[in-house]
Amino acid sequence: MINVLFFAQIRELLGTPSIQLEAGEHVATTAALRTHLAAKNEKWARVLESDKLLVAVNQTLSNWHADVNDGDEVAFFPPVTGG
Amino acid sequence: MMQDRIVVQQPDFDVPAEYARIATDNSDGAIVTFVGKVRDFNDGSAVTDLTLEHYPGMTEAVLQQITAQARERWPLNFVTIIHRVGTMTLGEQIVFIGVSSAHRKAAFAACEFLIDFLKTKAPFWKLEGVGADKRWVDARDADEQAAQAWEQGS
């Protein structure tokens, strides 16, 4: 399983903090996972296709070329605004 | 004696107590602290409250990484970072950064480096309240440029 987390606007717009996916070839990279989730419906497509979307794999900031494997935690979120 | 204290918490923090904690070593001639507060405006509109969300686990890891980076750049003794999450009202404290060092230049620079990096690297997000309305705060280009300036060695 791949645990997918959403934070801030992304979580709010999608209406869920997380989902779980079966690992597989169609989600073998962060880009593929994003495309797979965006294919759910129009709302998910709009939210996940934001050009400001960031991705972390196993709690480390990553990019759209990273591998995604069974057991990974992948998080999607907007640019950070703490401090 | 070198010590990191990195905390993400809902409750407020006590600045004199945090200061006292990093002021115990007489080999330190300099202590610099920064406190970030909830202010009453952003981009020209009134703000009534602020809610901070974060990514538990990743947040603490990033704060530890930026602390380690600061220690590579400057000879620091104590480093404390406390960041609150949850809902805060006007004037409340959001973040505390405190560093001690033998000399002031290292302490000033490290404190500024830590807040610049925290603002652009640590997974915190601000939700502003304007009465009953809520809006997510956009990341600022100026904050990103400040962090990039450190990475370019300036």
Side-chain angles (χ1 to χ4, degrees), chain B residues 43-103:
Chain B
D43 291 334
S45 354
V47 171
T48 50
D49 60 74
L50 191 65
T51 301
L52 262 295
E53 176 173 334
H54 80 125
Y55 181 175
M58 182 174 170
T59 312
E60 292 83 351
V62 171
L63 296 179
Q64 279 160 13
Q65 284 157 16
I66 64 178
T67 299
Q69 286 170 25
R71 287 192 180 282
E72 283 170 16
R73 285 171 173 251
W74 298 282
L76 307 175
N77 192 357
F78 288 91
V79 176
T80 296
I81 302 177
I82 303 172
H83 203 298
R84 295 178 66 198
V85 291
T87 298
M88 286 151 245
T89 56
L90 284 187
E92 279 198 68
Q93 302 176 141
I94 307 169
V95 59
F96 176 91
I97 296 183
V99 298
S100 74
S101 180
H103 301 291

Side-chain angles (χ1 to χ4, degrees), chain A residues 12-70:
Chain A
E12 200 173 74
L13 291 166
L14 295 178
T16 181
S18 66
I19 60 164
Q20 293 202 316
L21 286 180
E22 290 294 340
E25 283 181 23
H26 56 302
V27 292
T29 66
T30 45
L33 174 59
R34 180 186 188 176
T35 304
H36 176 75
L37 293 174
K40 270 171 106 73
N41 62 44
E42 202 175 304
K43 180 176 78 178
W44 283 60
R46 193 173 58 245
V47 174
L48 293 173
E49 281 163 6
S50 158
D51 58 2
K52 296 209 167 166
L53 192 71
L54 300 179
V55 63
V57 178
N58 298 325
Q59 305 191 346
T60 301
L61 195 64
S62 188
N63 59 46
W64 301 111
H65 307 291
D67 290 339
V68 175
N69 295 299
D70 195 26

